[in-house]
Amino acid sequence: MRFGISAGWVSVAICGAVAGHAMAADGAVMYRCPGNDYNNTLSPKDAKDKGCKTIEGAPITIIQSPKPRPATAGSSASAGPAASRIDPAEQRARDSDAKRILEAELKREEDRLAAMKAEYNNGEPERLGNEKNFQKYMDRVGEMKAAIIRKESDIVAIKRELTKP
């Protein structure tokens, strides 16, 4: 019996090896330069001149972060914290407006909750004309209950916001 390798398979193997070698020569050499600068486009001479070291065998993922903007003379950094101060009287007016708005919202939400509870009727709301199927009715009752729970949670959050100094 004679075992042989076809010429086609040999040429595929040789082409694959040559392509792999070409890739290794083109970009597989990664250099780590001072300042954590990673580069694979330097020539060995340039890398040596810059003081870069070769990294082999480990894939590297580089994530670029935006560079911080330098502070300009007209920026808020030079203006100081005094520029962002608000007049105490104006701040009190804003606070009272915010409190008045929250109280109005609380009243509106409590009224809506009362209406929702009346419609819910302790878990037995009136059936609608399109709810001949009992499951449809039960789905609507479940949605009503969930909406009431959400509304109660919203009211608690508004009350908590009102108690903040």
Side-chain angles (χ1 to χ4, degrees):
M1 247 174 143
R2 183 174 170 203
F3 294 97
I5 301 175
S6 72
W9 283 108
V10 170
S11 63
V12 168
I14 291 172
C15 288
V18 169
H21 180 69
M23 283 176 41
D26 283 344
V29 178
M30 181 63 73
Y31 297 102
R32 179 174 181 228
C33 300
N36 282 336
D37 181 28
Y38 292 87
N39 199 328
N40 65 345
T41 59
L42 296 175
S43 69
K45 183 181 182 307
D46 291 339
K48 184 178 179 184
D49 292 344
K50 291 183 178 183
C52 303
K53 296 180 180 179
T54 305
I55 298 176
E56 296 179 18
I60 297 174
T61 302
I62 300 172
I63 300 173
Q64 296 289 334
S65 63
K67 294 182 180 179
R69 295 182 188 176
T72 60
S75 71
S76 63
S78 64
S84 64
R85 294 243 169 135
I86 298 174
D87 181 43
E90 185 179 339
Q91 185 62 46
R92 279 193 298 275
R94 287 182 183 180
D95 291 344
S96 67
D97 287 347
K99 186 174 183 177
R100 189 175 30 81
I101 290 168
L102 281 173
E103 288 170 346
E105 186 176 349
L106 177 63
K107 172 85 170 93
R108 190 172 48 249
E109 294 296 317
E110 286 175 337
D111 291 344
R112 180 67 183 127
L113 178 63
M116 291 169 75
K117 283 185 175 182
E119 184 183 351
Y120 183 64
N121 193 23
N122 292 323
E124 297 178 4
E126 291 187 28
R127 279 186 144 181
L128 301 177
N130 66 350
E131 293 177 337
K132 293 178 182 168
N133 182 346
F134 186 69
Q135 186 60 45
K136 263 186 156 179
Y137 172 75
M138 292 305 295
D139 290 344
R140 184 171 67 95
V141 170
E143 289 172 7
M144 291 172 81
K145 184 176 182 180
I148 288 172
I149 291 171
R150 280 192 307 271
K151 189 63 69 179
E152 289 172 341
S153 172
D154 292 346
I155 289 172
V156 168
I158 293 171
K159 287 181 179 178
R160 185 177 337 117
E161 192 67 29
L162 280 170
T163 61
K164 287 184 180 177

